[in-house]
Structures are given as structure tokens and as C-alpha cells.
Amino acid sequence: MHEYMSDWFVWVVDCPGDPEELTRTRRFVHQILSRTPWADDAALIVTELATNAITHTDSGKTTFRLSITRTPEALTIAVTDAGGTATKPRVTHPDADSSHGRGLAIVSALATTLTIRGDQHGHTITVRLGAGPRQP
């Protein structure tokens, strides 16, 4: 008898939209990826995306969805918020005196690719780390 083995792993978690849950979410990500080269970057990325979901959308009143797919070559992270805003998340480059607006730029700098999809009913930000050249 052969034991089923796979190099692909997928985790999907609905996380409470409470700022106190960010530490738990970050710890979860770091734990499941601890033996990969992506653990630290992934924990930072998830913290940023989850913070944005909680702060800028209805996820702060409900939940956001975290999805992580790990293959031998790459890691894909997706955070889906609860919507409630017509403003689409975007990478900005604020001036040095601004206290906000750098998070998605940091995420983009760490990512091989970053995509943003959705509308006022919810946005999904997907980040890929690993195989392939980084996007400009």
C-alpha cells in the first residue's frame, strides 16, 4: 500500500475581523510555512493585507478570508475582504511625511506578482512568491 503524498498544500481560513486576531493570523502563517524560505515574507504580507481588510472594508465588522497555496516552486497568498467600499486597493507611493499608504508598496516589492480584483462587494489581493521574475 502506498501512502498518498503531495508536494502541494492548501490552507483556507476565515479569520475574524478583529485587530487582536492579526497576531494569531501572523503566527499561523509563520507556523505552517516555517520550513520554507517564504515564512517571514509571508507573515509580513499577510499582516499587511489583513490589516488593510480590517481597516478599510466591512471585514472589520465580520471576517476576511485567507488562502495559502504552497507548491515546491512557489507560494500564493490571497486575502479576500468583505467589501463595503467603492475604493479599490492600490499601490501608492506617499511622501516621506505621510504616516499611511506604504503597505501595498512593501507587499509589491516582496512579491513576484501582485493582482487586485473585485468591487464594492469584496476585493481579493493575490500575491505570488517564488518562481519567475519579480514584477516591476
Side-chain angles (χ1 to χ4, degrees), residues 25-26 29-31 33-34 36-50 66 68 75-77 79 103 106-112 114 127-130 134:
T25 304
R26 181 175 45 248
V29 170
H30 208 275
Q31 180 181 8
L33 299 173
S34 65
T36 73
W38 305 298
D40 293 333
D41 287 351
L44 175 65
I45 288 167
V46 167
T47 301
E48 178 56 40
L49 298 181
L66 169 63
I68 299 173
L75 179 74
T76 303
I77 299 167
V79 172
I106 292 168
V107 170
S108 180
L110 294 171
T112 304
L114 179 138
V127 175
R128 185 174 167 95
L129 302 171
R134 288 189 181 208

Side-chain angles (χ1 to χ4, degrees), residues 90-96 98 100-102 104-106 108:
R90 65 189 186 289
V91 177
T92 60
H93 303 284
D95 61 38
S98 183
H100 297 287
R102 291 177 185 79
L104 280 180
I106 292 168
S108 180

Side-chain angles (χ1 to χ4, degrees), residues 56-122:
H56 300 296
T57 75
D58 285 347
S59 288
K61 301 174 207 164
T62 60
T63 62
F64 62 91
R65 175 162 285 175
L66 169 63
S67 172
I68 299 173
T69 304
R70 182 177 64 115
T71 70
E73 299 82 27
L75 179 74
T76 303
I77 299 167
V79 172
T80 302
D81 65 47
T85 179
T87 305
K88 184 175 181 178
R90 65 189 186 289
V91 177
T92 60
H93 303 284
D95 61 38
D97 296 332
S98 183
S99 60
H100 297 287
R102 291 177 185 79
L104 280 180
I106 292 168
V107 170
S108 180
L110 294 171
T112 304
T113 59
L114 179 138
T115 57
I116 301 169
R117 291 192 171 86
D119 56 23
Q120 70 273 12
H121 303 291

Side-chain angles (χ1 to χ4, degrees), residues 13-30:
V13 181
D14 288 332
C15 304
D18 185 337
E20 293 176 7
E21 292 292 324
L22 292 172
T23 301
R24 183 175 299 154
T25 304
R26 181 175 45 248
R27 191 175 5 193
F28 167 73
V29 170
H30 208 275

